[in-house]
């Protein structure tokens, strides 16, 4: 299983993110992923620069580290024709180093353009139509469509790579996993649900990569690590059925107000116990994941985490 590093735009500014990407490559991570959101989940996180600008700078600043968006919603905040152009350009700038991760999105990041927030079955239909349109535009031919959700009028992407970037599709349930198997080149999940991985493999995803993401809170002081995880990541346990519907950081704060520090520490590895992280990573591997991106909580402790990863965590994972 390949182990990656997460550029979490919600907790760091753009320059720091690029610097962290360079360090991640230097210390030996296999790949990197970048979140693509308009807003942080909680006000305490404090950031949310434009992911595609950071991605371009990070690709230029690194030598060979592969990157993936984790994930971009191509349905409301962005029109799929714009996503198709952004992804084609990114692939041309860094051939073979880019995966386009797509998902049905969250209200938090999509409502900002004033188009409302449709129910989940409509969002899945929109995502499926968007993926098909992106692939059609990548042919470089003129496209005119009167789709149910995304009309396109004589659109041509003039700079299209010969080798198209793979498309990963984020999923959290049976329907979205089926969509990923049918239309995607990879599956993306944030929970190690072996039954959904099996469903993906039994569909059209038999030989396709499966990406996961594991939040951790490294710190030499375990109590401080737990406090940081609770302050910035207590929203994570709400599940996507809840998290996809909440519209603002204030709503996430209210929804997670009863979550305790001990509850967060029980679900997220906190401190410097390498063995706990290794065992947690092993659970993802056993569930069938081929790629796992680690997400260090706290924008101001990335240097410390990357030092620890280089000296202790990555060697321990390699040995396992």
């Amino acid at each position: 299983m390949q182990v990656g590093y997460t550029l979490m735009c919600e907790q760091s500014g753009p320059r720091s993110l690029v610097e962290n990407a360079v360090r991640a490559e230097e210390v030996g991570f296999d790949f990197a992923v970048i979140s693509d959101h308009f807003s942080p989940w909680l006000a305490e996180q404090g950031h949310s620069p434009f992911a595609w600008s950071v991605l371009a700078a990070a690709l230029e600043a690194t030598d060979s580290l592969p990157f993936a968006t984790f994930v971009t919603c191509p349905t409301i905040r962005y029109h799929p024709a714009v996503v198709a152009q952004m992804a084609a350009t990114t692939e041309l700038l860094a051939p073979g180093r880019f995966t386009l991760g797509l998902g049905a999105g969250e209200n938090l990041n999509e409502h900002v353009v004033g188009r409302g927030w449709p129910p989940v079955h409509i969002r899945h239909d929109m995502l499926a139509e968007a993926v098909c349109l992106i692939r059609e535009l990548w042919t470089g031919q003129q496209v005119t469509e009167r789709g149910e959700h995304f009309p396109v009028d004589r659109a041509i992407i003039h700079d299209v790579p010969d080798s198209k970037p793979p498309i990963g599709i984020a999923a959290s349930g049976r329907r979205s996993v089926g969509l990923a198997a049918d239309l995607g080149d990879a599956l993306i999940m944030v929970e190690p649900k072996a039954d959904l991985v099996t469903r993906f493999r039994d569909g059209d995803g038999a030989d396709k990569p499966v990406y996961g993401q594991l939040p951790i809170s490294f710190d030499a002081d375990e109590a401080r690590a737990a406090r940081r995880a609770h302050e910035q990541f207590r929203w994570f346990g709400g599940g996507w059925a809840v998290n996809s519907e909440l519209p603002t950081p204030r709503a996430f704060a209210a929804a997670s107000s009863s979550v305790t520090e001990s509850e967060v520490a029980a679900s997220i590895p906190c401190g410097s116990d390498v063995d706990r992280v290794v065992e947690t990573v092993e659970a993802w591997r056993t569930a069938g994941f081929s790629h796992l991106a680690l997400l260090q909580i706290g924008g101001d402790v990335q240097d410390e985490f990357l030092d620890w990863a280089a000296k202790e965590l990555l060697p321990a994972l390699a040995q396992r």
Side-chain angles (χ1 to χ4, degrees):
M1 184 174 66
Q2 294 191 25
V3 178
Y5 174 77
T6 298
L7 300 174
M8 189 177 184
C9 291
E10 299 91 317
Q11 64 180 15
S12 297
R15 289 186 179 275
S16 294
L17 290 164
V18 175
E19 293 167 359
N20 294 338
V22 172
R23 285 286 325 279
E25 181 175 53
E26 290 173 349
V27 306
F29 281 96
D30 297 314
F31 66 99
V33 302
I34 183 168
S35 57
D36 182 4
H37 292 158
F38 191 84
S39 174
W41 302 97
L42 293 169
E44 290 88 346
Q45 293 174 328
H47 295 275
S48 202
F50 184 55
W52 288 83
S53 297
V54 175
L55 174 63
L59 283 163
E60 179 65 21
T62 52
D63 294 324
S64 59
L65 190 68
F67 285 80
T69 52
F70 222 72
V71 295
T72 292
C73 177
T75 62
I76 298 179
R77 185 164 45 106
Y78 305 127
H79 190 286
V82 176
V83 174
Q85 184 185 35
M86 293 191 298
T89 300
T90 302
E91 177 64 23
L92 286 167
L93 289 170
R97 294 176 59 195
F98 175 61
T99 294
L100 176 61
L102 300 176
E106 306 89 14
N107 194 8
L108 174 70
N109 302 294
E110 306 307 314
H111 81 275
V112 295
V113 295
R115 292 181 55 199
W117 185 237
V120 64
H121 70 283
I122 299 296
R123 302 200 301 266
H124 285 158
D125 290 345
M126 293 171 73
L127 178 59
E129 185 177 322
V131 173
C132 293
L133 179 56
I134 288 168
R135 291 197 186 278
E136 188 174 3
L137 285 164
W138 281 350
T139 65
Q141 302 300 308
Q142 179 174 289
V143 177
T144 297
E145 294 282 357
R146 293 292 179 261
E148 181 179 357
H149 302 289
F150 305 112
V152 179
D153 182 18
R154 292 164 291 182
I156 302 174
I157 297 179
H158 292 273
D159 292 281
V160 178
D162 292 332
S163 179
K164 311 304 185 289
I167 293 178
I169 297 180
S172 60
R174 293 171 64 87
R175 184 179 182 191
S176 52
V177 165
L179 192 154
D182 293 341
L183 299 179
D185 303 306
L187 172 66
I188 298 171
M189 296 178 60
V190 294
E191 295 179 276
K193 295 182 177 180
D195 59 325
L196 294 182
V197 175
T198 299
R199 182 176 176 82
F200 177 73
R201 297 289 188 207
D202 290 343
D204 291 330
D207 299 317
K208 299 175 182 178
V210 178
Y211 286 79
Q213 187 176 60
L214 171 65
I216 65 175
S217 184
F218 163 77
D219 199 294
D221 184 330
E222 185 174 344
R224 185 167 56 205
R227 286 195 300 272
R228 183 191 309 118
H230 179 258
E231 177 190 61
Q232 298 194 24
F233 235 73
R234 62 187 183 274
W235 59 273
F236 193 73
W240 290 109
V242 173
N243 290 345
S244 63
E245 303 296 336
L246 300 176
T248 63
R250 181 175 294 181
F252 275 88
S256 59
S257 61
S258 64
V259 178
T260 67
E261 188 175 301
S262 60
E263 288 173 332
V264 172
S267 61
I268 294 175
C270 295
S272 57
D273 185 346
V274 171
D275 289 338
R276 184 183 176 193
V277 177
V278 170
E279 291 301 324
T280 306
V281 169
E282 176 65 13
W284 287 80
R285 190 195 66 79
T286 302
F289 286 76
S290 60
H291 296 67
L292 183 64
L294 304 183
L295 191 167
Q296 166 63 21
I297 299 169
D300 59 345
V301 291
Q302 297 299 309
D303 285 340
E304 292 87 340
F305 165 72
L306 289 164
D307 288 342
W308 177 67
K311 295 175 183 177
E312 298 188 46
L313 179 59
L314 292 179
L317 289 171
Q319 184 179 25
R320 180 62 174 266

